[in-house]
Amino acid sequence: MRKALLLLVLCCLAAASEAVAVVGEEEAASAELAVVVDPSWRFPSQRLRDAYVALQTWKQQAIFSDPRNFTADWVGPGVCNYTGVFCAPVPRGEPGAGELAVAGIDLNHGDIAGYLPSELGLLADLALLHLNSNRFCGLVPATFRRLRVLVELDLSNNRLVGAFPAVVLDLPALKFLDLRFNDFEGAIPPELFDRPLDAIFLNHNRLRSPLPDNFGNSPASVIVLADNSFGGCLPASLGNMSDTLNEILLINNGLDSCVPPEVGLLREVTVFDVSFNALVGPLPQQVAGMRKVEQLDVGHNRLSGAVPEAICALPRLKNLTISYNFFTGEPPSCARVVPPDADRRNCLPNRPAQRTPQQCAAFYSQPPVDCAAFQCKPFVPVPPLPPPPPAYPGPLPPVYPMPYASPPPPSHYR
């Protein structure tokens, strides 16, 4: 235990020193190289020489423990033969087309302890960077903004800290962003939801402040923000995601408002989970507009009134969870989609395991919910986004929801 704690302290001190040493990108670019390159080596191109400097700096100065020996063969100038490093020709139309370049790094599940040095910004041809399930600590380097063709960034399940890494907003090709299970804190920049991302995973961090009003601008098909502390409104702007959103998980985010009727515009959504929040008022009839929803979870809130029959009649709905609310009516048709105990702890007559009559009476003795009092921004349709830039043409693994190397969410989030 003491050894692990010492390693963590060493990691954080080194990462902090790195952050202080690199004041700006220009200074990092002109800094003296952290490793010595044997002058007798001949690299096929400058980009592979830069890759050698970046990877050797990482191994020699920023990795403190590699228990599974992922980097044991990171020796010599042949970086394309390093474990977890993948090379591909530079695409046609790009400077140096046809040259071999480091296009991907995959050190998933390596249990590697260390930090991310600024020299990783030298890997300008990276299309994917997968580092999940390690022990990297410290900050995400500002030099990552040089990764102009990066499509997939997976830093999940590490020990990264600081404010949301705004450098990811400067990556024009990025489509897949996975920062879950870290210790990022503060607000999510509104600009994130204007980026052409297809998947956003930020769950299990220390992010705070309400979700921005432009939340619904995102063209993402999957958004998982569970287990943060946003509070505030469930944004009505999510109705603007009607053509693209397939799955959204806002579990345990402290959301405190009514459910906006615009959620019914999400005609492509299959999973909608806003459980473990503080949502109040009725479940809107408009939810019946989710014609493709399969899993709908509004449990552990303070919703009231009757469950609309049209929701239970949704053609693809397989699982409706309404437990731990204050619902007073559940149509018989709901028996098809509400699993056993998924309606417990409500105020439903003739159903088992409900709240006591005293609890229900006390709740309904309060003034009716005034949804306008939350002062949530009203729904404003946005014009369609311009077509996204062309994707990196190199070979890439499929992104979520296809099989993916990143650890899946816990079972109760699926």
Side-chain angles (χ1 to χ4, degrees):
M1 180 65 183
R2 293 180 60 187
K3 181 179 180 181
L5 181 61
L6 180 61
L7 187 61
L8 178 61
V9 171
L10 178 62
C11 169
C12 293
L13 288 175
S17 299
E18 168 80 1
V20 171
V22 182
V23 178
E25 183 177 348
E26 293 77 16
E27 293 183 37
S30 61
E32 183 179 352
L33 294 181
V35 298
V36 176
V37 181
D38 190 326
S40 67
W41 289 346
R42 294 293 179 263
F43 292 87
S45 65
Q46 180 63 39
R47 53 185 12 114
L48 288 182
R49 187 181 191 279
D50 289 345
Y52 173 82
V53 172
L55 296 174
Q56 287 300 319
T57 302
W58 198 5
K59 176 181 179 179
Q60 296 178 30
Q61 299 190 8
I63 289 179
F64 307 132
S65 175
D66 182 7
R68 299 182 182 177
N69 293 318
F70 273 40
T71 63
D73 63 357
W74 286 21
V75 178
V79 295
C80 294
N81 296 320
Y82 290 5
T83 295
V85 177
F86 303 94
C87 293
V90 176
R92 285 181 296 180
E94 298 292 330
E99 292 182 357
L100 208 57
V102 174
I105 295 178
D106 187 339
L107 299 180
N108 286 347
H109 303 279
D111 196 30
I112 299 170
Y115 66 94
L116 307 178
S118 61
E119 284 79 6
L120 292 179
L122 293 171
L123 300 170
D125 299 291
L126 270 186
L128 60 90
L129 180 59
H130 295 170
L131 302 178
N132 79 62
S133 303
N134 285 287
R135 289 174 288 153
F136 291 117
C137 69
L139 307 176
V140 178
T143 53
F144 269 31
R145 65 172 47 92
R146 300 175 186 164
L147 309 182
R148 309 299 290 175
V149 297
L150 189 67
V151 176
E152 298 184 11
L153 178 61
D154 183 356
L155 303 178
S156 62
N157 198 19
N158 279 285
R159 299 173 182 178
L160 299 170
V161 299
F164 180 91
V167 65
V168 303
L169 304 176
D170 296 329
L171 304 178
L174 192 65
K175 297 294 182 185
F176 183 98
L177 177 64
D178 193 345
L179 302 179
R180 55 187 157 167
F181 294 98
N182 279 288
D183 286 306
F184 295 116
E185 54 191 310
I188 299 178
E191 295 83 358
L192 177 70
F193 301 106
D194 292 323
R195 302 298 304 152
L197 296 168
D198 181 61
I200 301 173
F201 294 91
L202 302 180
N203 52 290
H204 291 83
N205 278 281
R206 299 174 182 270
L207 299 169
R208 296 180 179 272
S209 85
L211 293 172
D213 290 328
N214 70 328
F215 178 76
N217 289 4
S218 175
S221 63
V222 181
I223 297 181
V224 182
L225 306 183
D227 285 284
N228 287 287
S229 300
F230 300 127
C233 297
L234 177 58
S237 65
L238 56 75
N240 284 317
M241 308 164 84
S242 58
D243 292 333
T244 55
L245 187 64
N246 298 137
E247 301 190 17
I248 183 167
L249 287 80
L250 300 176
I251 305 163
N252 191 29
N253 286 148
L255 299 175
D256 180 13
S257 71
C258 292
V259 178
E262 287 78 14
V263 299
L265 298 175
L266 300 175
R267 56 178 176 267
E268 298 296 325
V269 78
T270 60
V271 177
F272 185 86
D273 195 333
V274 291
S275 58
F276 291 89
N277 284 289
L279 299 172
V280 297
L283 188 60
Q285 174 79 21
Q286 290 88 338
V287 174
M290 296 182 181
R291 304 301 293 173
K292 294 184 180 180
V293 72
E294 298 176 6
Q295 299 182 49
L296 177 58
D297 193 340
V298 297
H300 291 264
N301 282 285
R302 296 177 61 81
L303 300 172
S304 55
V307 177
E309 186 171 5
I311 295 177
C312 294
L314 283 166
R316 299 190 183 183
L317 186 59
K318 299 176 182 178
N319 188 317
L320 171 62
T321 300
I322 60 173
S323 55
Y324 289 88
N325 281 287
F326 290 88
F327 289 115
T328 56
E330 181 182 11
S333 59
C334 293
R336 176 184 67 88
V337 294
V338 178
D341 289 335
D343 61 357
R344 67 198 314 265
R345 294 295 182 265
N346 278 284
C347 301
L348 300 169
N350 304 317
R351 292 294 299 158
Q354 297 299 298
R355 297 183 186 274
T356 66
Q358 293 80 7
Q359 289 174 321
C360 293
F363 177 83
Y364 279 97
S365 67
Q366 301 173 15
V369 172
D370 179 9
C371 293
F374 293 102
Q375 299 184 337
C376 300
K377 185 174 182 179
F379 176 66
V380 178
V382 297
L385 292 172
Y392 184 83
L396 295 174
V399 299
Y400 188 93
M402 300 295 290
Y404 189 70
S406 183
S411 59
H412 65 285
Y413 293 143
R414 299 296 303 152

